[in-house]
C-alpha cells in the first residue's frame, strides 16, 4: 500500500513537471526524480551547501580556493578528495547549468571570501538540462560570475569544459564541436578579462579531440580517478598562477 502511494505520488510529480523537465524523467532513478522536483522549489539548489558554508572555519596560512561547478567538480571531491588541501572547497552540484550557478554564486562563493574561485561550467548548458541555451547565453552567465568575483577582489580561474563525444542522458546532442567552440571562447575571454585559463580539455582529450582518452572517463563525460589525477597538476598550476596575480580591484559596495 505504501509502495502504491509512493508510485502515485511520483507519477503525479512526473506529470506535473513533464512540460518543463529537461533531464529525462525516470521514476526508478532517484536523481531524475529529485532533479525535476527541485526545479520548481529550489532552482539553484541553495540548500545543498547552506549548512556546510555556515560550518566553515578559517585555515590560517592557507588561501581559500572555491571550486564552483557541476557534477565534474562534485565528483572531484568524492573520487579524489585528497586533492583538496585545507582551504580548498568543493561547491559542485551534479547536473547544474550556468544560470543555476550564477544564482548561487553569492552564497557559495562570494560569501565564503575566497582568494580564488575556480569555475568549471558549460557541459550541462550544452545538454540543455534547464532548457535550450545558446552559447551567447552561457557566455553571458560566465561573464556575470567573473564580474561578481572581480568586484569582490576574488581572482578567477576559468576551466575548460572537459572533452566528451556524447552525453548519455541526452543522446543525439552535438557535443564535441560545441565543447570546442565554448573552450575557444573561454580561453580568449580569460586572456582579455585577467582570468587564468585551466586547459583540462587538452590534458584529457583523445588525439582526435572527440572525447577523453581510454580509462580517463567512466561514461564519456565524468572523469575516473585516473582522469582526476591528470587534471590535478593542471589545477595546481592554475591556482599557483592565480595566487601570483594581484587581487582584482574591489568595486562592490559590500
Amino acid at each position: 500500500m505504501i509502495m502504491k502511494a509512493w508510485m502515485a505520488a511520483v507519477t503525479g510529480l512526473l506529470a506535473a513537471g513533464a512540460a518543463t523537465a529537461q533531464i529525462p524523467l525516470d521514476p526508478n532513478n532517484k536523481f531524475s526524480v529529485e532533479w525535476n522536483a527541485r526545479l520548481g522549489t529550489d532552482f539553484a539548489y541553495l540548500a545543498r551547501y547552506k549548512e556546510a558554508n555556515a560550518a566553515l572555519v578559517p585555515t590560517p596560512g592557507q588561501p581559500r580556493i572555491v571550486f564552483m561547478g557541476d557534477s565534474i567538480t562534485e565528483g572531484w571531491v568524492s573520487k579524489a578528495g585528497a586533492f583538496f588541501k585545507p582551504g580548498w572547497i568543493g561547491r559542485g552540484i551534479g547536473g547544474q547549468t550556468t544560470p543555476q550557478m550564477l544564482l548561487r554564486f553569492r552564497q557559495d562563493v562570494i560569501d565564503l571570501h575566497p582568494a580564488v574561485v575556480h569555475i568549471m561550467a558549460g557541459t550541462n548548458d550544452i545538454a540543455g538540462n534547464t532548457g535550450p541555451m545558446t552559447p551567447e547565453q552561457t557566455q553571458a552567465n560566465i561573464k556575470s560570475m567573473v564580474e561578481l568575483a572581480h568586484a569582490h577582489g576574488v581572482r578567477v580561474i576559468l576551466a575548460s569544459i572537459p572533452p566528451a563525444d556524447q552525453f548519455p542522458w541526452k543522446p543525439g546532442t552535438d557535443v564535441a564541436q560545441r565543447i570546442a567552440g565554448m573552450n575557444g571562447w573561454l580561453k580568449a575571454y580569460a586572456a582579455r578579462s585577467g582570468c587564468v585559463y585551466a586547459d583540462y580539455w587538452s590534458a584529457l582529450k583523445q588525439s582526435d579531440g572527440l572525447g577523453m582518452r581510454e580509462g580517463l572517463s567512466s561514461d564519456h563525460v565524468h572523469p575516473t580517478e585516473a582522469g582526476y589525477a591528470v587534471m590535478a597538476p593542471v589545477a595546481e598550476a592554475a591556482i599557483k598562477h592565480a595566487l601570483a596575480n594581484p587581487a582584482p580591484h574591489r568595486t562592490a559596495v559590500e
Side-chain angles (χ1 to χ4, degrees):
M1 195 68 184
I2 294 175
M3 180 57 70
K4 287 183 179 179
W6 180 84
M7 287 302 295
V10 168
T11 301
L13 168 65
L14 302 189
T20 57
Q22 298 301 324
I23 289 180
L25 292 162
D26 178 357
N28 297 312
N29 183 300
K30 182 180 178 182
F31 178 84
S32 170
V33 172
E34 290 181 350
W35 170 269
N36 288 289
R38 196 165 51 241
L39 285 182
T41 59
D42 185 3
F43 177 78
Y45 202 0
L46 293 170
R48 173 66 174 85
Y49 291 111
K50 184 177 180 181
E51 292 183 3
N53 290 343
L56 285 173
V57 296
T59 52
Q62 296 290 337
R64 181 171 284 178
I65 315 295
V66 173
F67 289 72
M68 164 62 77
D70 50 35
S71 58
I72 297 171
T73 298
E74 188 172 22
W76 207 339
V77 177
S78 62
K79 290 185 178 180
F83 166 77
F84 286 80
K85 303 174 184 179
W88 293 19
I89 301 165
R91 288 295 178 263
I93 297 181
Q96 285 216 325
T97 57
T98 57
Q100 293 173 303
M101 293 182 207
L102 179 57
L103 282 173
R104 66 183 178 91
F105 199 78
R106 180 171 296 273
Q107 172 187 285
D108 290 346
V109 178
I110 292 171
D111 288 349
L112 305 186
H113 306 291
V116 177
V117 61
H118 175 285
I119 301 172
M120 180 182 284
T123 292
N124 296 312
D125 290 38
I126 293 172
N129 282 9
T130 51
M133 291 186 65
T134 65
E136 292 76 18
Q137 289 171 326
T138 298
Q139 292 161 14
N141 289 332
I142 290 171
K143 287 191 284 188
S144 292
M145 285 188 271
V146 169
E147 290 164 3
L148 281 169
H150 283 175
H152 287 268
V154 180
R155 303 164 182 84
V156 177
I157 297 169
L158 288 178
S160 69
I161 301 172
D165 57 356
Q166 62 176 276
F167 293 156
W169 69 101
K170 281 293 180 74
T173 305
D174 177 17
V175 175
Q177 294 306 312
R178 291 184 67 182
I179 289 175
M182 187 59 67
N183 284 341
W185 178 85
L186 284 164
K187 184 176 182 178
Y189 176 67
R192 67 177 182 266
S193 62
C195 300
V196 175
Y197 180 64
D199 190 359
Y200 300 108
W201 184 85
S202 293
L204 295 165
K205 71 180 180 69
Q206 297 178 10
S207 58
D208 60 11
L210 297 180
M212 291 193 207
R213 297 195 305 279
E214 184 71 25
L216 300 186
S217 173
S218 59
D219 61 356
H220 300 268
V221 177
H222 298 92
T224 58
E225 290 185 13
Y228 286 120
V230 171
M231 292 169 64
V234 177
E236 289 168 348
I239 291 168
K240 183 178 180 180
H241 185 178
L243 289 172
N245 291 336
H249 180 67
R250 292 176 179 269
T251 56
V253 174
E254 57 181 40

